[in-house]
Amino acid sequence: KGESTVFKAHTATVRSVHFSSDGQSLVTASDDKTVKVWTVHRQKFLFSLSQHINWVRCARFSPDGRLIVSASDDKTVKLWDKTSRECIHSFCEHGGFVNHVDFHPSGTCIAAAGTDNTVKVWDVRMNRLLQHYQGNAVVNSLSFHPSGNYLVTASNDSTLKILDLLEGRLLYTLHGHQGPATCVAFSRTGDLFASGGSDEQVMVWKTNFDAADYGDVLKTQKSGISVDGTHHTLQSEMDCDVHLKKTKPQDSDRSHAQQEEETSLANTLEHIVGQLDVLTQTVSILEQRLTLTEDKLKECLENQQKIIQNKTS
């Protein structure tokens, strides 16, 4: 009926709004450094989450609505428990502002995009970094495919990139926008995705993840249709010398020695991965302690300034 409800929600720019999957709650993120949760049915404010120390760019509910994730210019991604209203964990691996964050469809992982040209994927059950993608430009937005197997990103170098999360590698780099690509999102069914850019264009793309042979897919061209009806032919290409090869079935007549060698190599790699996990967790703890130390120093300096001002007055 053209009716609307206005929430006087924040004291600064609102950067992000997101409904819970059941449609009963709304989460907002703002430059006032807070994340706020609202009830949609009663149209009332519920509570604020206020541990960020800089602008909050993005906030999202988990698929089951029990968790909230937020991304901030304080270079952290924070995970919150909606019921207890407490911060469960802070992910501090980004070296720059964090522009966007979202939950994996399973709810077990999150992915975040930052101004340090990276996309990072964490396991929220173990609070550990799973995958790290280094790009060439600021990453503005990302979206998980409904299957959970792919991630699409939009960045300032005007490209969209599709990442294969199962293989942990880049599949396509898509060129079409003239200028920074600012946002991207998969459709609910995953057969399409749309992107927007500073070139004032919205492009709609058709996915072909169901193709049997990636080699054939790479030879095809992607087509995008902008909202003004202009047709764009967009060539998909590979970055970082990534080559997609069909995996050959294992030969049944491999020698016992070969199998032992592969098992030994697998064990070694597993050990290396385990050591990297420990190192990542150690770095995360040290960064968190450093942040706390900085906060305490700032507080001490502020107190000293107040004392000096009082003496002066």
Side-chain angles (χ1 to χ4, degrees):
K1 298 180 181 179
E3 298 174 353
S4 64
T5 299
V6 177
F7 295 114
K8 180 55 181 175
H10 294 272
T11 59
T13 301
V14 180
R15 297 281 179 178
S16 167
V17 294
H18 186 242
F19 284 102
S20 58
S21 57
D22 61 9
Q24 297 302 306
S25 300
L26 178 71
V27 63
T28 59
S30 168
D31 286 359
D32 64 10
K33 307 176 186 178
T34 69
V35 174
K36 296 191 177 185
V37 179
W38 312 77
T39 173
V40 176
H41 178 66
R42 291 184 295 152
Q43 301 178 356
K44 290 184 178 181
F45 167 76
L46 291 179
F47 57 88
S48 286
L49 305 173
S50 54
Q51 290 189 24
H52 282 294
I53 59 175
N54 208 331
W55 295 357
V56 187
R57 296 278 180 177
C58 183
R60 292 286 187 269
F61 281 110
S62 61
D64 61 10
R66 294 187 298 176
L67 300 174
I68 295 170
V69 67
S70 58
S72 169
D73 281 8
D74 64 10
K75 302 181 182 180
T76 71
V77 172
K78 293 187 183 295
L79 191 66
W80 311 83
D81 184 289
K82 182 175 179 288
T83 302
S84 66
R85 305 177 185 180
E86 294 181 352
C87 180
I88 301 172
H89 190 76
S90 291
F91 299 94
C92 307
E93 285 88 349
H94 273 286
F97 301 158
V98 190
N99 288 327
H100 193 92
V101 67
D102 205 358
F103 274 95
H104 186 274
S106 68
T108 61
C109 302
I110 56 173
T115 59
D116 58 356
N117 306 348
T118 68
V119 172
K120 299 181 188 294
V121 182
W122 292 278
D123 185 323
V124 298
R125 298 164 298 181
M126 303 295 293
N127 294 330
R128 66 189 182 100
L129 185 66
L130 294 177
Q131 296 182 23
H132 168 100
Y133 300 90
Q134 181 68 51
N136 300 315
V138 169
V139 186
N140 296 311
S141 180
L142 54 80
S143 178
F144 281 102
H145 188 266
S147 69
N149 297 337
Y150 306 97
L151 186 70
V152 63
T153 67
S155 66
N156 273 0
D157 62 3
S158 79
T159 67
L160 308 175
K161 296 182 186 293
I162 298 179
L163 309 173
D164 185 331
L165 298 177
L166 296 180
E167 296 291 336
R169 60 184 176 180
L170 179 67
L171 283 183
Y172 308 122
T173 294
L174 306 177
H175 298 271
H177 287 286
Q178 303 299 315
T182 55
C183 54
V184 66
F186 277 109
S187 63
R188 188 174 297 275
T189 58
D191 56 338
L192 300 169
F193 62 96
S195 61
S198 61
D199 56 2
E200 306 175 4
Q201 299 294 307
V202 174
M203 296 184 179
V204 180
W205 307 70
K206 183 174 178 59
T207 60
N208 50 10
F209 297 141
D210 294 330
D213 188 348
Y214 278 125
D216 293 336
V217 173
L218 290 175
K219 296 175 184 177
T220 64
Q221 290 183 334
K222 291 282 192 175
S223 295
I225 307 297
S226 66
V227 290
D228 62 1
T230 306
H231 185 271
H232 298 267
T233 300
L234 307 171
Q235 183 68 41
S236 64
E237 63 177 35
M238 298 303 297
D239 271 8
C240 305
D241 297 323
V242 176
H243 300 282
L244 296 176
K245 299 180 180 179
K246 290 179 108 177
T247 303
K248 296 181 180 179
Q250 294 181 348
D251 297 329
S252 58
D253 58 348
R254 285 186 305 171
S255 68
H256 182 67
Q258 285 177 317
Q259 292 178 359
E260 285 186 345
E261 183 179 352
E262 290 179 0
T263 300
S264 176
L265 178 59
N267 290 336
T268 302
L269 289 174
E270 184 177 355
H271 175 72
I272 292 173
V273 170
Q275 293 299 312
L276 287 173
D277 287 340
V278 172
L279 180 60
T280 300
Q281 292 174 11
T282 303
V283 171
S284 177
I285 292 171
L286 290 173
E287 288 179 343
Q288 290 178 39
R289 289 179 177 175
L290 179 60
T291 301
L292 290 173
T293 302
E294 289 176 350
D295 292 341
K296 289 180 180 178
L297 287 173
K298 289 179 181 177
E299 185 178 351
C300 290
L301 287 172
E302 289 175 357
N303 290 335
Q304 289 294 329
Q305 289 175 351
K306 289 179 181 178
I307 293 172
I308 293 172
Q309 289 174 358
N310 290 334
K311 289 182 177 180
T312 304
S313 61

